[in-house]
Amino acid sequence: MSAKKILLTAINAKYIHSNLAVYSLKANAGRYEPFVELCEYTINQKKEEILRGIYGKKPDVIGFSCYLWNIEYVLAVAEDVKKILPGSIIFLGGPEVSYHPEQILERYPFIDAVMAGEGEKTFAEYLAWQIEKKGAPAEIDGLVYRNGDRILRAPQRTAMNMEELVFPYPDLDGMQNRILYYESMRGCPFSCSYCLSSVEKAVRMKSIEKTVKELDFFLERRVPQVKFTDRTFNCNHDHAYAVWKYIGEHDNGVTNFHFEIAGDLLREEDFALFHGFRSGLIQFEIGVQSTNPATLQAIRRTMDLPKVRRHIKRVQEGHNIHVHLDLIAGLPFEGYESFRKSFNDVYAMKPNQLQLGFLKVLDGSYMKEAGNEYGVAYSSRPPYEVLSTTWLSYQELLDLKQVEEMVEVYYNSFQFAASMAYLVRFFETPFDLYRALGDYYEKNHLFDRKHSRVSRYEILWGFADGLQWDNSETEVFRETMTYDLFSRDYVKNPPSFIRERTAGQKEKIRAFFDRQCEMPTVLDGYGGLVAKQLYHQLYVNSFTVDMDVLIKTGRIERRPPFYLMFDYKKRNPLDHSAAVSYLKEMEE
């Protein structure tokens, strides 16, 4: 056996992410696993740093994991690697190169091979050939390779049995506090025209016995978050229910599990199970994409929208599961006004997060074939994002980009819940509020600047100052801003529009903390601290608006002044806000 060093390289979007593909390839390499080394970088690192790291390992064979968001960076790195290690063999794998491997090899002479499609067996057989000269490239199914001036393709790799997959994580060395990805199935039963998962319609899944045994690895090690990469996790109800039931019964109090599901496929027994879960045990991502029936039909998306609405509401009744909903702009038959309606429809579902995505026209997808029919213009380079359609102009897409950014800042950050619930009352629809915010940012040259958290509040105050309302409305908004600001952290130097507590209020608050030090009736976990320390660790202030009612219903309920306490040691697992307590003993 000739010694070879094989390097599998992942260039991730963020440090906190991990790359399931390279871990799975190494774990499933069989007897050749000791020859394989993994290296993970991020697209935020300098190319020179990555080159130095690869060069220092002097690998004979280098594989890169390729995705829509990293392919250009990977190619730039790979080209230079070939120059500094001219004797090395470079291969690519992943969804971004699997559907046109011959074109990749024709266009980039520094790439020696592409592993198209599912890679575990292809990689193991490739190692057998590289290390022991077993077989020949033409016999390695799934391999597209360079042979002199010719580009050759071996037969397509048949889908493997999921029971044969070796668990990808032998340990957690170097992976503490990172998101770990896991799959219990491959393929998707649906045919959404924009998605590559629809290409493989046959769904293959691991047995429930194998799945729960592997989940024990994460539970026993108290991994912070595990993201299932399964597309439409609950397409097989029995499998999904068994997994959810198991993690509920074996909850370690720490680990969060993320699932991408179809909301309309949930059943009564699921809701009953969910309502008994610890807050933050699981979270759901549900792709609505559009509420326009013509659009849903054109993209081949099977979805019972009324049922989705009902089921999301049922999930939210437990107040213990984070719900993330997705929309896609640039789909067929979805013009600006149609997207505005889709946005408002989904906003009304009150998701914890609302993601506005933009259509990507991917190689291998039906949308790539049908793009001309819908007048879809898109970028020729990754991420192949839509530029315009028959129904949506480029200018309108730019406007939606601004809405997207405003939603990220003022909705998805969880930092403006009460203030946005109040502001939306002054606009015809929620979409119009975020559109107006985008206009305000544009007019005042606020885009493309870095803003602190406090400055975002100052900007929102300036935006609201331009609305036509009276002094009483301004005072309500001041309260909502105070509530939102201190829900996140005890801000020592708040913006000037936050009213300083009066001398009388401060005296009353200190007296409250004095009583709590002598006999705690409200505080928990602050033993040994004196009133002065408590005063600077827990924020207490007087309010006249019931913020809980405002956030949940949009209604303004005024009350005689009452006091709320913000406890930063206790936080909501769904939005990380401080626990807020109503202090009855301080009623005025």
Side-chain angles (χ1 to χ4, degrees), residues 182 207-217 242-243 246:
Y182 175 76
S207 66
I208 192 61
E209 293 77 16
K210 179 178 177 66
T211 300
V212 299
K213 181 180 178 182
E214 293 178 342
L215 293 181
D216 280 338
F217 174 89
V243 169
Y246 187 84

Side-chain angles (χ1 to χ4, degrees), residues 14-134:
K14 297 179 181 179
Y15 170 77
I16 197 171
H17 295 171
S18 58
N19 186 294
L20 176 59
V22 296
Y23 284 93
S24 187
L25 290 183
K26 178 176 171 63
N28 287 273
R31 60 184 296 201
Y32 308 109
E33 188 272 337
F35 293 90
V36 182
E37 185 174 350
L38 303 183
C39 273
E40 289 189 273
Y41 302 97
T42 79
I43 57 175
N44 299 311
Q45 290 179 261
K46 292 182 178 179
K47 186 176 69 170
E48 293 74 17
E49 183 180 347
I50 298 176
L51 283 174
R52 183 169 64 249
I54 293 174
Y55 179 79
K57 297 183 181 300
K58 300 294 191 299
D60 300 295
V61 179
I62 309 157
F64 289 93
S65 182
C66 302
Y67 300 89
L68 184 68
W69 42 265
N70 77 353
I71 182 62
E72 293 201 316
Y73 199 174
V74 164
L75 290 169
V77 170
E79 184 172 18
D80 284 352
V81 166
K82 198 70 165 184
K83 293 173 182 176
I84 60 177
L85 294 171
S88 63
I89 295 170
I90 298 177
F91 74 87
L92 307 179
E96 187 52 29
V97 296
S98 287
Y99 296 96
H100 50 93
E102 290 89 352
Q103 293 178 31
I104 291 289
L105 292 173
E106 288 169 2
R107 190 176 303 169
Y108 305 106
F110 51 89
I111 304 300
D112 299 291
V114 172
M115 295 184 186
E118 199 168 59
E120 284 86 0
K121 286 189 174 181
T122 302
F123 181 61
E125 292 174 14
Y126 187 71
L127 293 184
W129 175 65
Q130 283 288 344
I131 296 172
E132 295 190 279
K133 297 303 176 187
K134 285 187 175 181

Side-chain angles (χ1 to χ4, degrees), residues 102 108 156 176 229 362 399 406 409 552:
E102 290 89 352
Y108 305 106
Q156 182 175 334
Q176 289 78 5
T229 61
L362 308 177
D399 293 343
M406 293 299 92
V409 172
K552 290 179 179 177

Side-chain angles (χ1 to χ4, degrees), residues 388-426:
S388 66
T389 73
T390 299
W391 302 271
L392 199 64
S393 70
Y394 180 63
Q395 180 59 56
E396 289 170 330
L397 274 168
L398 291 179
D399 293 343
L400 294 182
K401 287 279 187 179
Q402 292 185 357
V403 172
E404 175 199 25
E405 187 165 343
M406 293 299 92
V407 170
E408 283 298 311
V409 172
Y410 291 105
Y411 188 90
N412 290 341
S413 69
F414 308 117
Q415 296 179 28
F416 303 88
S419 299
M420 298 309 284
Y422 184 65
L423 283 175
V424 77
R425 300 165 70 253
F426 297 90

Side-chain angles (χ1 to χ4, degrees), residues 296-475:
L296 294 174
Q297 182 177 359
I299 63 175
R300 302 177 173 182
R301 184 158 184 80
T302 304
M303 180 175 63
D304 184 335
L305 189 58
K307 187 179 285 188
V308 169
R309 286 194 184 97
R310 294 196 303 272
H311 287 187
I312 288 173
K313 186 176 182 180
R314 294 289 304 279
V315 170
Q316 292 170 327
E317 286 172 356
H319 305 291
N320 60 344
I321 296 174
H322 173 108
V323 176
H324 173 130
L325 301 182
D326 295 331
L327 284 171
I328 296 178
L331 295 174
F333 301 102
E334 186 91 279
Y336 188 84
E337 284 303 314
S338 173
F339 187 84
R340 176 175 177 261
K341 181 181 184 302
S342 290
F343 179 98
N344 292 323
D345 289 341
V346 173
Y347 196 91
M349 299 180 198
K350 298 183 179 298
N352 298 95
Q353 284 192 292
L354 171 54
Q355 180 175 323
L356 275 62
F358 292 81
L359 175 66
K360 312 295 192 295
V361 183
L362 308 177
D363 277 324
S365 70
Y366 173 74
M367 187 59 69
K368 180 68 177 280
E369 300 175 22
N372 290 335
E373 176 186 346
Y374 299 125
V376 178
Y378 60 94
S379 175
S380 301
R381 304 184 69 83
Y384 314 113
E385 191 168 278
V386 63
L387 299 172
S388 66
T389 73
T390 299
W391 302 271
L392 199 64
S393 70
Y394 180 63
Q395 180 59 56
E396 289 170 330
L397 274 168
L398 291 179
D399 293 343
L400 294 182
K401 287 279 187 179
Q402 292 185 357
V403 172
E404 175 199 25
E405 187 165 343
M406 293 299 92
V407 170
E408 283 298 311
V409 172
Y410 291 105
Y411 188 90
N412 290 341
S413 69
F414 308 117
Q415 296 179 28
F416 303 88
S419 299
M420 298 309 284
Y422 184 65
L423 283 175
V424 77
R425 300 165 70 253
F426 297 90
F427 291 82
E428 183 179 346
T429 75
F431 179 90
D432 300 322
L433 165 59
Y434 292 96
R435 176 68 280 207
L437 264 171
D439 288 340
Y440 181 81
Y441 265 68
E442 182 72 22
K443 179 181 177 181
N444 292 280
H445 310 289
L446 296 170
F447 284 117
D448 302 321
R449 288 191 203 172
K450 288 188 176 180
H451 300 285
S452 67
R453 186 170 82 85
V454 170
S455 73
R456 295 289 191 185
Y457 287 87
E458 293 169 336
I459 292 169
L460 192 61
W461 182 262
F463 167 77
D465 191 47
L467 300 178
Q468 300 300 313
W469 55 15
D470 58 32
N471 288 337
S472 65
E473 291 165 332
T474 299
E475 290 310 305

